[in-house]
Amino acid sequence: MIAKNRLVDAYQTWEKLTQAEGAAIQSDDWSRVSECQRTKLGLQRQIIHLTEAAQAECIEAGQNSKNLEHDVRRIINGLIALESRNAELVAGRRATAEIAKADLDQAAHNLRRVHKSYSPPADALWNSYS
């Protein structure tokens, strides 16, 4: 079952990338997060191809493809848990960033009010139009 072994290897690579992505999220390394996601996008195409090949191998060998599905499902469930954890990390980072933005917006508003209070009004450039 060459295709099945390659499929399992691809899923293990996905797991490593998802763990690296989680570490990058925690360290606010967003370029690394993007890199992991791009790599996983390419890996996704490979997984689709390998899944089809593994299913074909099962049919050719006269084996029940349910065994393949069972083995892969266990791996996928672990990946779903990792991806969910990363989504929660991103949501936490986003909430923190939104709070910081609101604080900065309030500070900017306060500075405009202070500036308006202490700045002399601008003199009119024209006293009359004639």
Side-chain angles (χ1 to χ4, degrees):
M1 303 284 302
I2 295 170
K4 179 183 176 183
N5 292 339
R6 290 179 60 202
L7 178 61
V8 169
D9 290 344
Y11 278 124
Q12 289 172 343
T13 301
W14 188 291
E15 180 180 6
K16 290 175 186 172
L17 285 166
T18 303
Q19 290 171 345
E21 182 183 38
I25 292 167
Q26 289 177 325
S27 64
D28 293 327
D29 185 354
W30 301 108
S31 62
R32 176 72 175 131
V33 171
S34 293
E35 180 183 324
C36 289
Q37 289 178 346
R38 278 191 306 273
T39 304
K40 288 195 301 187
L41 182 62
L43 191 58
Q44 183 180 22
R45 294 181 192 113
Q46 182 182 359
I47 286 172
I48 290 169
H49 174 72
L50 288 171
T51 300
E52 293 168 353
Q55 289 170 339
E57 274 184 355
C58 285
I59 291 169
E60 289 172 12
Q63 297 176 347
N64 187 351
S65 63
K66 295 291 182 188
N67 292 338
L68 172 66
E69 290 175 23
H70 180 265
D71 293 343
V72 169
R73 176 56 52 196
R74 189 176 49 234
I75 296 168
I76 290 173
N77 287 340
L79 291 174
I80 289 170
L82 282 173
E83 293 288 348
S84 295
R85 179 187 62 100
N86 284 356
E88 289 171 6
L89 289 172
V90 168
R93 292 290 196 225
R94 182 178 180 149
T96 300
E98 287 175 355
I99 290 169
K101 182 185 180 304
D103 289 346
L104 290 172
D105 288 345
Q106 184 62 46
H109 175 73
N110 291 343
L111 282 173
R112 282 191 299 274
R113 286 179 47 210
V114 167
H115 179 71
K116 186 176 178 182
S117 296
Y118 288 100
S119 295
D123 291 332
L125 296 175
W126 296 73
N127 288 335
S128 70
Y129 294 103
S130 54

